[in-house]
Amino acid sequence: MTIETILPIPDMFAAKRILCIQPHYDDNDIGAAGILAQLAQNGAEIIYLTVTNDLMGVVDDSLSEAEAAEALKRDQFAAGKIVGVKEQFWLGYPDAGEYNYFDVRRDLLAHIRHIQPDFVFAPDPWLTYEGHRDHIQTGLAATEAVMFSGLTKIASSDPAVDATYRGHDIHGIAFYFTREPNVIVDIASTWETKQAVLRCYEAQFDPAGLDELVMALDMKSRQAAAGQGFEQGEPLKVLHTSALHCGI
Ligand SMILES: [Zn+2]
């Protein structure tokens, strides 16, 4: 017996309900739209949860806050339709603002206990040189909420959910935006889809910015696929939920 037989890399393609937790409206798609589109095609329910209101990234300064929020949601729904996202949730914390980490963790615990995903996606909070606190807090709160979902002594923000929750299995967590990937997925079949998804985010990128984003992600996908036997890949760190503590 080896540690790999006890804690194998979980198979995300066996997942039936996947909760993708992101700090901003476009992070799941920038990090993993190629894979998520494949998982949706594979029959998994894909659910997005966005932690912040993302208002700081809106490029058109003439929009009111309400108009900017509407534009962000319109883009996100358009992108989600292409990926195959079934449902979306928003926590609305202030983008790049001051908010409490434990409030986010309580909200994520409530959603995980309510939605009961068998796989969770989130940004890697340990990405070296990640300077955006929203990404670090979201990734860490998602990790802790996955680890602690079965420990109902740790209260969520929804007592009614906690009262009826009887536990469920989360098979794994997949971190995108990672510098230590252990899975590279061939996204050649969904690269066109990913480009179409990215081009929905018009509120956050001007046309030149979108061209640059697509070009940069194209190059990154080719870099990730080097030596893998395919052209374009998305890198993930995929961990068994028991591997999230003490380096086991
Ligand atoms: Zn972001």
Side-chain angles (χ1 to χ4, degrees):
M1 185 165 290
T2 65
I3 191 70
E4 286 76 21
T5 53
I6 303 169
L7 292 179
I9 296 174
D11 178 13
M12 72 188 110
F13 283 92
K16 296 195 163 42
R17 186 179 294 160
I18 302 171
L19 176 62
C20 307
I21 299 170
Q22 60 182 352
H24 308 108
Y25 283 55
D26 53 0
D27 290 311
N28 288 333
D29 291 335
I30 291 174
I35 296 168
L36 294 168
Q38 289 179 20
L39 292 167
Q41 287 163 13
N42 197 41
E45 282 178 23
I46 308 291
I47 299 159
Y48 278 15
L49 184 152
T50 307
V51 170
T52 77
N53 60 21
D54 212 358
L55 287 171
M56 296 304 119
V58 174
V59 289
D60 183 353
D61 289 335
S62 72
L63 296 181
S64 70
E65 203 168 292
E67 288 167 339
E70 199 178 309
L72 286 166
K73 280 229 168 96
R74 183 195 61 219
D75 292 354
Q76 196 182 30
F77 278 122
K81 207 168 171 189
I82 299 170
V83 173
V85 175
K86 187 186 167 226
E87 201 173 1
Q88 308 236 15
F89 296 90
W90 301 269
L91 300 185
Y93 286 91
D95 185 10
E98 295 178 32
Y99 54 88
N100 185 285
Y101 168 79
F102 291 97
D103 288 341
V104 176
R105 196 183 77 176
R106 270 189 286 276
D107 282 344
L108 293 182
L109 275 170
H111 281 83
I112 286 175
R113 288 174 184 161
H114 172 63
I115 296 165
Q116 303 196 3
D118 53 10
F119 229 95
V120 170
F121 275 61
D124 186 340
W126 302 282
L127 171 67
T128 45
Y129 313 112
E130 174 55 71
H132 204 314
R133 193 173 181 83
D134 289 341
H135 280 234
I136 299 164
Q137 297 225 118
T138 296
L140 189 57
T143 306
E144 284 207 310
V146 164
M147 285 168 61
F148 300 151
S149 59
L151 300 176
T152 46
K153 282 183 185 169
I154 300 175
S156 84
S157 56
D158 189 336
V161 167
D162 292 356
T164 55
Y165 181 68
R166 295 287 170 265
H168 81 288
D169 282 336
I170 302 176
H171 301 142
I173 184 164
F175 294 111
Y176 55 83
F177 300 153
T178 186
R179 223 177 288 284
E180 293 191 48
N182 59 353
V183 174
I184 315 282
V185 177
D186 180 355
I187 59 158
S189 69
T190 45
W191 171 244
E192 293 293 325
T193 304
K194 180 166 181 171
Q195 281 192 67
V197 167
L198 296 171
R199 290 192 182 280
C200 292
Y201 289 103
E202 294 173 343
Q204 296 178 76
F205 297 94
D206 59 25
L210 276 175
D211 285 343
E212 278 173 29
L213 177 69
V214 169
M215 198 165 62
L217 291 177
D218 185 13
M219 287 194 285
K220 284 291 252 187
S221 75
R222 290 174 195 283
Q223 196 180 50
Q228 299 287 324
F230 47 80
E231 294 281 306
Q232 290 175 281
E234 277 174 345
L236 295 174
K237 182 74 163 188
V238 183
L239 293 174
H240 192 283
T241 52
S242 299
L244 294 170
H245 184 43
C246 296
I248 295 169

